[in-house]
Amino acid sequence: MLKGFIEQISETAISGWVYCANFDVAGHRLLAFERDQCIGAGHIDIHRPDLEAAGMGKGLLGFSISCDPAVLKRHANISVRLDNSDFALLPRSTSQRPARREVAAGLFSSTEARRVEWMARQGWLSQEQFLALRSLNQLGVYQRTFSRSELGDFSLERKAADLYLEIMCLLFRSEFNLAQLQEHSLMPRDLAQLDFNLAGGEHGVIGLYGGELSAEVSEGAHALGIDGAEPPVVAPVSYRCAPHQLLLVHTGCLRSLALGKGSGVQLLALAAPAAA
């Protein structure tokens, strides 16, 4: 299964990474598109020590594709596709800033964070589980793309719900099930009345999928109170999602949400415990 991110769109290039546990992606050709027009090409040929340290092979997973600055300035419908496949990446962020940033604290205490890293080293967590937990812990957000081949006979609704519950169980060390899962259909008209904190419930993390959306996220803003840390002051980052992508985000980081014209999305959350 292929996975990855477009981490940065600078003035001259699109950069990020691609990984697959089943085969070596190093050297494979990538094509950059604006809508359906090819705007550049490159290869997976940049060593990423951070990904190697996370157990993702030898870390030769990064890419940087040079493109026309006039096209990149528009930030409109940019995608990166693996040549001769249906795998595609959409931007993780549209901000022009260094993509990798360390955050001191998050949902976990430092002790709990070390426990998760130890579990990953023992092989008790899949690479996807580890990346999701680390991203939600440090940044308060995780984005996941479902390919057509991955979905197979399963519906997008089933895959999104299963992944959301799986990550929530690992994140909060509790057993959650479908009976506790709340699903809501949101349309643009619903956003003005939506209270993100209430929608996130006690655990704070919601899932969004099934439509075009743009979310403004202050990465790491959920860190208040963990190990005595203050939340970092950071400018919101824009996350864009297509219907086949799932965005997991802590509501303490979510600053705004906009849906595509005429588009609705599905919201996943855990039901609050029943009052005694």
Side-chain angles (χ1 to χ4, degrees), residues 96-108:
Q96 297 182 21
R97 58 155 176 79
R100 295 180 296 281
R101 175 177 59 81
E102 292 299 323
V103 177
L107 289 172
F108 299 149

Side-chain angles (χ1 to χ4, degrees), residues 105-110 112-113 133 135-141 168 171-172 203-205 222-224 226 250:
L107 289 172
F108 299 149
S109 66
S110 57
E112 182 72 359
L133 293 176
S135 183
L136 283 166
N137 175 48
Q138 294 183 344
L139 303 179
V141 61
M168 293 295 281
L171 194 62
F172 296 105
H203 297 91
V205 178
H222 60 314
L224 179 64
I226 305 298
H250 194 284

Side-chain angles (χ1 to χ4, degrees), residues 18 21 25 29 38 48 76 79 92 96 101-102 125 138 144 151 184 210 213 236 244-245 255 266 271 274 276:
V18 177
V25 298
R29 188 168 182 249
C38 185
R48 289 284 299 268
S79 64
R92 172 177 185 262
Q96 297 182 21
R101 175 177 59 81
E102 292 299 323
L125 299 175
Q138 294 183 344
R144 172 71 154 79
L151 289 174
H184 308 281
L213 65 90
H244 58 281
Q245 292 185 303
R255 296 294 175 258
Q266 296 297 117

Side-chain angles (χ1 to χ4, degrees), residues 47-166:
H47 180 242
R48 289 284 299 268
D50 57 329
L51 300 179
E52 183 178 10
M56 300 172 71
K58 297 181 180 179
L60 196 61
L61 307 172
F63 65 82
S64 181
I65 302 173
S66 297
C67 300
D68 182 350
V71 174
L72 295 183
K73 187 177 181 179
R74 293 196 293 265
H75 281 240
N77 297 296
I78 298 292
S79 64
V80 170
R81 307 174 192 176
L82 186 67
D83 200 13
N84 296 318
S85 82
D86 63 355
F87 177 74
L89 298 175
L90 296 176
R92 172 177 185 262
S93 166
T94 59
S95 68
Q96 297 182 21
R97 58 155 176 79
R100 295 180 296 281
R101 175 177 59 81
E102 292 299 323
V103 177
L107 289 172
F108 299 149
S109 66
S110 57
T111 300
E112 182 72 359
R114 287 193 295 270
R115 184 189 70 85
V116 170
E117 292 176 358
W118 181 85
M119 291 175 65
R121 290 195 298 270
Q122 304 305 310
W124 294 0
L125 299 175
S126 69
Q127 191 62 44
E128 177 180 69
Q129 290 170 339
F130 176 66
L131 288 174
L133 293 176
R134 187 173 66 172
S135 183
L136 283 166
N137 175 48
Q138 294 183 344
L139 303 179
V141 61
Y142 176 70
Q143 191 174 39
R144 172 71 154 79
T145 300
F146 296 106
S147 67
R148 289 194 300 268
S149 58
E150 180 187 2
L151 289 174
D153 295 330
F154 293 96
S155 67
L156 176 62
E157 292 78 7
R158 167 74 181 276
K159 294 290 285 189
D162 286 350
L163 180 60
Y164 174 80
L165 285 173
E166 174 188 307

